Amino acid sequence: MNWLTADEALARLGTKPQTLYANVSRGRITARPDPSDPRKSLYRQDDVERLASRRQGRRPARIVAAESIAWGEPVLETAISTISADQLLYRGEDAVKLAETATLGAAARLLWASDERPDFANRAQARQPGIAAAYRAMAELAATAMPTSGRHRAVLLEDAALVVSFLSGALAAPGSDPLHERLARQWQRRDAADPLRRALVLLAEHELNASTFAARVTASTGAPLAAAVLSGLAALSGPLHGNASQSMAGLVDQAQRLGADAAIAAHLRQGGALPCFGHRLYAKGDARAATLLAAFTVPQVFAELAMAGERLTGEKPNIDFALAAMTAAFGLPDDAPLQVFALARSVGWIAHALEQVETGTLIRPRARYTGPRPQIS
């Protein structure tokens, strides 16, 4: 990954400094502090080159569309959330501030634009609670639930609460108390309840990420809300998304044997990006991670990795790092980050599904064929 100084970026863009800063604030160019001078910033070369190419003239629509799929311009309008000036906003409210006191139920009320807080109570529990049970619960509900088409929003909000209730029954202890308390009780770590509450709120929504886009595409067909959540779960399971915290395991093990500096240096010498550090949408660091890490005593090895990683790469820990640290701090199940992620993000998936239903349109991109053509004789 290459970085440019402000002068280099401006030379390639051919713009004024104000335009460069505006592109950073809008998430079009990723910036980070210059390790040699923290008063200055460096700018991601790939982002600068992409914007510079646009100034050379109007490009074919197929190229614009292709770039839009990979961290490009927004492809869908939404009033649900955005990342602006390093702030994650839920319908205009700072998610970090919301996480100080709110529960996932309160976040759902805000994100769903509901007049009442949804009821996620569930008296049943899976025989073997966990991610596998969550998939089974959503698959069964998706196969039997009503489609969204032609149904009043008030009825769909009832469906939404039922979907999260089913999901919570597959992951957490039964009950009517807040979901973070039910998770803590399920894992027999009551002292983890407040950090879990914060994590659930911070992870509830994050703009048009891969799993949210998958859920929104499903919702655009008129499928049940449970089907949209099932699509989100499928996308979330990938190592580049909801399972990213698992990539910390090897780094932690190596740091315990060699020390944080040596472990990170060895990883970087292999040519890979440091797992769970940095985020393209946050120029100054993932605010969600800093908030969650401040909610508990971070294990020493994670604290050392955080400091060494920022010193050696200029990137700060992201939310996946914080989830891995929380799991280690409280002795939670190894897949706790994915379970927390899934339960929290189901609220965001449903918010986008409800918004997509209101548009009444099908999301159906075109493909650019690159395969063989028939022979012309």
Side-chain angles (χ1 to χ4, degrees):
M1 188 181 301
N2 296 320
W3 298 84
L4 304 175
T5 65
D7 288 341
E8 291 171 334
L10 290 170
R12 299 195 187 197
L13 289 169
T15 59
K16 297 179 180 179
Q18 294 90 331
T19 304
L20 173 62
Y21 305 147
N23 280 319
V24 171
S25 67
R26 293 168 184 163
R28 295 171 178 167
I29 296 178
T30 300
R32 75 172 196 189
D34 187 338
S36 63
D37 186 351
R39 296 171 299 177
K40 299 180 180 180
S41 295
L42 297 177
Y43 304 89
R44 195 185 298 271
Q45 183 175 345
D46 289 348
D47 296 343
V48 172
E49 298 287 3
R50 186 184 70 251
L51 286 180
S53 69
R54 294 178 183 176
R55 295 181 59 83
Q56 297 174 1
R58 183 174 178 83
R59 298 164 304 149
R62 61 182 176 80
I63 297 178
V64 175
E67 288 190 356
S68 294
I69 297 299
W71 298 93
E73 294 295 318
V75 293
L76 292 174
E77 291 186 353
T78 180
I80 299 169
S81 76
T82 189
I83 296 98
S84 177
D86 274 8
Q87 271 189 312
L88 173 59
L89 303 176
Y90 292 172
R91 295 195 182 275
E93 292 193 26
D94 187 340
V96 167
K97 292 183 179 178
L98 191 68
E100 292 177 1
T101 57
T103 63
L104 183 60
R109 179 181 181 181
L110 172 64
L111 291 168
W112 296 354
S114 173
D115 292 334
E116 299 179 357
R117 182 176 299 189
D119 182 6
F120 297 151
N122 194 311
R123 300 296 180 184
Q125 186 177 34
R127 291 182 180 179
Q128 293 183 316
I131 284 295
Y135 276 89
R136 286 192 292 268
M138 284 302 98
E140 181 177 348
L141 190 57
T144 56
M146 292 284 292
T148 56
S149 303
R151 302 173 70 212
H152 194 276
R153 180 177 174 80
V155 178
L156 292 179
L157 286 172
E158 293 177 2
D159 278 7
L162 181 65
V163 169
V164 179
S165 175
F166 263 60
L167 193 61
S168 68
L171 297 173
S176 58
D177 43 339
L179 292 179
H180 62 277
E181 294 180 8
R182 290 167 57 189
L183 272 180
R185 189 165 71 251
Q186 170 65 31
W187 292 332
Q188 299 181 1
R189 290 309 306 259
R190 299 295 183 98
D191 53 341
D194 189 66
L196 285 169
R197 178 190 61 76
R198 294 172 187 267
L200 287 170
V201 173
L202 291 167
L203 288 167
E205 166 61 8
H206 205 235
E207 203 222 47
L208 204 61
N209 51 79
S211 59
T212 298
F213 187 63
R216 191 148 182 160
V217 170
T218 299
S220 79
T221 70
L225 293 179
V229 170
L230 184 60
S231 295
L233 280 172
L236 188 72
S237 66
L240 300 182
H241 194 9
N243 250 328
S245 293
Q246 295 289 339
S247 62
M248 281 294 297
L251 189 62
V252 169
D253 179 67
Q254 200 168 17
Q256 289 172 329
R257 292 185 290 105
L258 307 175
D261 283 82
I264 290 175
H267 186 90
L268 293 176
R269 289 192 185 100
Q270 294 174 1
L274 192 62
C276 302
F277 279 79
H279 197 295
R280 294 193 65 170
L281 296 182
Y282 297 95
K284 297 179 182 178
D286 189 340
R288 300 170 301 167
T291 300
L292 184 55
L293 289 170
F296 57 89
T297 301
V298 178
Q300 183 177 352
V301 65
F302 281 88
E304 292 173 353
L305 281 169
M307 290 188 292
E310 184 173 358
R311 184 173 62 255
L312 294 174
T313 69
E315 301 282 12
K316 296 180 179 180
N318 62 28
I319 189 64
D320 298 306
F321 180 102
L323 288 172
M326 181 180 71
T327 298
F330 294 101
L332 304 180
D334 290 343
D335 68 344
L338 181 58
Q339 293 193 48
V340 172
F341 219 138
L343 186 55
R345 192 55 59 83
S346 67
V347 166
W349 295 332
I350 290 172
H352 279 270
L354 292 170
E355 187 177 63
Q356 185 61 38
V357 168
E358 290 178 353
T359 71
T361 58
L362 176 69
I363 299 174
R364 204 301 192 182
R366 291 299 310 275
R368 179 162 58 94
Y369 181 67
T370 59
R373 299 284 181 179
Q375 298 293 324
I376 300 176
S377 57

